[in-house]
């Protein structure tokens, strides 16, 4: 690539250097003395580069007016020290070109604040805004730090299937994948015959790669997945997407304590990496989106997470004196309001709840001897609530089979999963991190729809 990224120029370039840059015009100011200042942004960082185009530059008279907000621009010239405030250097162009103009009447991103709702309607252009550029760079940095975290610890990266015939949670909420002719089917009010379908049985988009990850953890050692998952839950919240990315490590010969330790180290290490590598973007979020972003992240990096048994959390919630929208009761799942009170108001830092009632957790979680709880854990963080859900897995064949019956699932369907307990079973553990919730935490964005390039939610799959 012949063009120097702006991020590199602003960091390293010295006056006198000859460079070419390419990007999109944020603004242009024409001075009365016959030259122009263009703020050029190429997405490589938050800052734009000031390009000074003198009236003497070839083509100035004919083309400078084309360099409006949103137009693309290529410029070559000499780096000079900038007399202006807030920037070290600027580019004095010797030549420039506008490969693509942007009609000022219709270009939707004129220089003013736009609501996030409006920007969602132009998801194809929103990456050109400061906020979305920063979100995507943070997302990228987090993604890289996640791979590094696991790779450094020898975890194997596994790609689990997206189309599946097993339901990990044993709950509904799955998208069916079919090649059956739905229009024909609609004409005949008969039961759908999935044996005629592409896979010869009903198939869906995966809700989790966990069960398949367990296969590899119990043969090749610690592994992780990082891929898309799909849930057809019809909930219009600020923390749920129909398509989201999940990071799922799975470790053989590990119990719930090891699992909690890994989850904590994982969040703290990745957060620290992002704090180090995305300073400019995080400062922007702290200034413009949420004044507590840096404080929350620094708190995460510098404090041990507090571990609280579910039963104790219920007692705290009951003793809080708060009136809850959803009642608190032992044996009920915690709602977002409860999770947030615990982590934001009571403990004021991330916490890990563990040993949940077995009636509200999936079949694969290891049963405790008390007969009423399982070795489950959730990591709760300020502003989000649950960001990680995990557990020690039930490794005992008889108890696992019993649990399948208890959850009204057919052990025949899980024959291969049960084989892992039949042949060389081991204690093992793992968890799932919702990647977009993590991006929410890192950026302070209120709505998860703004933390993924293209959000899929009920009644919305545009772009
Ligand atoms: P919640 O109770 O918040 O709906 P869950 O308990 O159903 O979440 P898990 O099955 O434990 O979620 O999934 C593991 C992680 O995946 C969660 O901790 C969360 O970070 C993330 N996650 C779950 N559902 C969604 C969703 N619909 N959109 C985005 N992230 C999600
Ligand atoms: Mn969960």
């Amino acid at each position: 690539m012949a063009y120097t990224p702006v991020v590199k120029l602003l960091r390293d370039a010295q006056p006198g250097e000859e460079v070419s840059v390419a990007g999109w015009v944020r603004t242009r100011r024409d001075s009365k003395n016959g030259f122009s200042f263009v703020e050029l942004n190429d997405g490589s960082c938050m800052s734009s580069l000031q390009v000074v185009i003198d009236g003497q530059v070839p083509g100035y008279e004919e083309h400078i007016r084309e360099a409006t907000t949103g137009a693309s621009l290529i410029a070559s010239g000499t780096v000079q020290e900038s007399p202006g405030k807030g920037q070290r250097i600027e580019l004095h162009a010797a030549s420039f070109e506008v490969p693509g103009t942007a009609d000022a009447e219709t270009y939707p991103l004129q220089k003013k604040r736009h609501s996030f709702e409006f920007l969602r309607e132009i998801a194809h252009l929103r990456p050109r805004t400061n906020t979305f550029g920063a979100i995507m760079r943070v997302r990228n940095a987090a993604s890289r730090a996640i791979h590094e975290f696991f790779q450094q610890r020898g975890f194997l990266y596994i790609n689990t299937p997206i189309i599946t015939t097993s339901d990990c949670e044993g709950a509904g909420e799955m998208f069916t994948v079919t090649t059956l002719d739905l229009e024909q089917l609609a004409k005949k009010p008969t039961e759908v015959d999935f044996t005629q379908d592409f896979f010869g049985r009903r198939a869906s988009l995966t809700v989790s790669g966990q069960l398949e990850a367990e296969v590899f953890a119990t043969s090749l050692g610690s592994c992780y997945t990082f891929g898309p998952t799909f849930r057809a839950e019809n909930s219009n919240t600020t923390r749920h997407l129909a398509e989201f990315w999940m990071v799922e490590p799975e470790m053989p010969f590990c119990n719930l304590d090891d699992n909690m330790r890994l989850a904590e180290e994982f969040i703290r290490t990745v957060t620290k990496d992002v704090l180090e590598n995305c300073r400019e973007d995080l400062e922007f979020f702290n200034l413009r989106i949420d004044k507590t972003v840096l404080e929350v992240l620094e708190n995460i990096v510098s404090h041990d997470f507090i571990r609280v048994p579910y039963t104790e959390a219920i007692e705290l919630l009951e003793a809080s004196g708060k009136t809850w929208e959803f009642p608190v009761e032992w044996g009920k799942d915690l709602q977002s309001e409860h999770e947030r009170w615990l982590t934001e108001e009571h403990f004021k830092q991330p916490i890990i709840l563990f040993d949940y009632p077995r009636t509200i957790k999936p079949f694969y979680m290891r049963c405790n001897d008390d007969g009423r709880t399982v070795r489950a854990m959730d990591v709760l963080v300020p502003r989000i609530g649950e960001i990680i859900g995990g557990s020690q897995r039930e490794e005992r064949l008889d108890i696992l089979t019993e649990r399948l019956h208890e959850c009204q699932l057919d052990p025949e369907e899980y024959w291969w999963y049960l084989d892992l307990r039949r042949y060389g079973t081991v204690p093992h553990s793992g968890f799932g991190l919702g990647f977009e919730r993590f991006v929410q935490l890192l950026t302070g964005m209120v709505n998860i729809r703004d933390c993924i390039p293209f959000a899929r939610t009920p009644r919305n799959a545009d772009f």
Side-chain angles (χ1 to χ4, degrees):
M1 191 176 64
Y3 306 112
T4 310
V6 168
V7 65
K8 192 165 180 295
L9 271 183
L10 293 178
R11 196 181 53 218
D12 306 329
Q14 294 306 319
E17 249 175 70
E18 302 280 322
V19 295
S20 296
V21 294
W24 293 266
V25 175
R26 280 292 170 81
T27 57
R28 190 191 83 235
R29 240 172 353 104
D30 300 323
S31 103
K32 289 194 200 73
N33 311 331
F35 56 91
S36 301
F37 298 103
V38 173
E39 291 297 323
L40 183 83
N41 192 285
D42 69 353
S44 62
C45 61
M46 173 75 58
S47 304
S48 297
L49 175 71
Q50 172 148 288
V51 182
V52 184
I53 308 178
D54 190 272
Q56 309 297 312
V57 173
Y60 182 87
E61 285 299 324
E62 304 94 286
H63 297 298
I64 195 68
R65 262 176 228 97
E66 296 169 2
T68 56
T69 300
S72 51
L73 180 90
I74 301 172
S76 303
T78 316
V79 172
Q80 305 228 340
E81 231 166 83
S82 177
K85 265 195 285 186
Q87 64 216 359
R88 188 177 64 87
I89 52 153
E90 58 190 30
L91 181 70
H92 286 224
S95 65
F96 78 99
E97 185 192 328
V98 178
T101 57
D103 178 24
E105 292 287 304
T106 57
Y107 185 59
L109 291 174
Q110 295 303 330
K111 208 178 159 63
K112 63 167 183 149
R113 282 264 200 141
H114 299 285
S115 73
F116 293 129
E117 288 77 13
F118 169 72
L119 291 175
R120 270 172 229 145
E121 289 167 16
I122 51 163
H124 60 305
L125 293 173
R126 70 178 183 172
R128 294 189 187 185
T129 63
N130 282 336
T131 307
F132 284 91
I135 294 167
M136 289 308 134
R137 285 187 298 269
V138 165
R139 195 179 155 104
N140 172 67
S143 170
R144 175 182 163 171
I146 287 167
H147 280 295
E148 262 169 26
F149 177 87
F150 289 120
Q151 294 295 330
Q152 280 168 1
R153 286 160 181 77
F155 283 58
L156 210 62
Y157 175 40
I158 302 286
N159 303 116
T160 49
I162 288 170
I163 298 175
T164 177
T165 52
S166 64
D167 174 352
C168 177
E169 299 295 311
E173 297 174 347
M174 298 183 84
F175 289 100
T176 297
V177 175
T178 183
T179 53
L180 292 174
D181 186 338
L182 298 181
E183 273 156 35
Q184 283 304 316
L185 282 178
K187 290 178 189 148
K188 293 181 274 178
T190 54
E191 260 195 19
V192 179
D193 180 6
F194 283 104
T195 64
Q196 301 303 306
D197 204 349
F198 190 91
F199 298 105
R201 56 187 293 197
R202 189 171 194 153
S204 316
L205 294 177
T206 187
V207 294
S208 159
Q210 180 201 316
L211 302 193
E212 290 91 348
E214 286 187 46
V215 169
F216 292 90
T218 55
S219 50
L220 302 177
S222 292
C223 63
Y224 70 105
T225 72
F226 187 171
T229 48
F230 308 84
R231 297 194 185 174
E233 45 202 350
N234 204 355
S235 49
N236 263 307
T237 76
T238 55
R239 336 180 291 153
H240 289 92
L241 292 165
E243 176 178 303
F244 64 100
W245 287 65
M246 188 136 70
V247 180
E248 295 181 276
E250 191 68 38
M251 299 160 292
F253 308 106
C254 282
N255 62 21
L256 191 71
D257 269 336
D258 303 318
N259 203 20
M260 291 197 274
R261 208 172 308 126
L262 186 84
E264 172 173 350
E265 192 182 315
F266 170 67
I267 290 196
R268 292 175 66 186
T269 307
V270 175
T271 302
K272 185 160 171 278
D273 280 12
V274 173
L275 271 169
E276 276 164 16
N277 295 323
C278 296
R279 200 68 209 185
E280 187 190 24
D281 291 325
L282 294 184
E283 273 164 12
F284 170 86
F285 292 121
N286 200 59
L287 193 69
R288 295 294 183 80
I289 304 295
D290 184 327
K291 301 264 180 280
T292 67
V293 168
L294 286 176
E295 190 191 313
V296 167
L297 298 183
E298 271 148 19
N299 185 31
I300 287 175
V301 171
S302 57
H303 288 86
D304 292 345
F305 292 6
I306 293 173
R307 296 180 191 181
V308 189
Y310 165 91
T311 303
E312 244 172 66
I314 292 292
E315 285 161 13
L316 287 170
L317 288 161
E318 281 173 341
S320 71
K322 287 245 172 195
T323 31
W324 304 108
E325 189 186 339
F326 298 92
V328 173
E329 194 187 320
W330 199 98
K332 282 213 169 106
D333 214 353
L334 295 183
Q335 300 295 321
S336 171
E337 56 172 341
H338 312 131
E339 295 174 346
R340 291 188 62 174
W341 180 81
L342 286 165
T343 166
E344 275 167 36
E345 293 186 42
H346 188 75
F347 290 105
K348 298 189 169 50
Q349 68 158 90
I351 57 175
I352 310 183
L353 299 190
F354 63 97
D355 284 348
Y356 280 73
R358 78 194 249 167
T359 48
I360 55 171
K361 289 292 181 187
F363 71 91
Y364 52 73
M365 297 190 176
R366 193 177 198 278
C367 294
N368 280 318
D369 293 341
D370 64 9
R372 36 182 235 149
T373 60
V374 288
R375 300 248 78 188
M377 62 127 181
D378 277 6
V379 179
L380 314 183
V381 293
R383 276 205 319 265
I384 315 284
E386 177 183 340
I387 195 164
I388 280 182
S391 66
Q392 181 170 340
R393 321 305 189 189
E394 184 54 77
E395 85 284 13
R396 298 162 295 186
L397 180 64
D398 50 339
I399 298 178
L400 186 58
T401 311
E402 200 184 298
R403 275 288 279 159
L404 279 166
H405 287 299
E406 194 177 301
C407 297
Q408 284 163 10
L409 296 167
D410 181 4
E412 298 265 302
E413 294 274 316
Y414 291 88
W415 66 273
W416 57 271
Y417 189 70
L418 293 171
D419 264 5
L420 304 179
R421 278 71 180 165
R422 222 169 254 130
Y423 308 116
T425 191
V426 292
H428 60 290
S429 300
F431 62 79
L433 165 99
F435 186 49
E436 286 73 22
R437 288 201 191 167
F438 194 30
V439 176
Q440 255 186 301
L441 175 70
L442 293 167
T443 58
M445 295 300 291
V446 168
N447 200 315
I448 197 166
R449 293 165 198 215
D450 301 326
C451 294
I452 188 165
F454 299 101
R456 270 84 183 91
T457 51
R459 312 201 67 77
N460 174 36
D462 290 343
F463 305 100

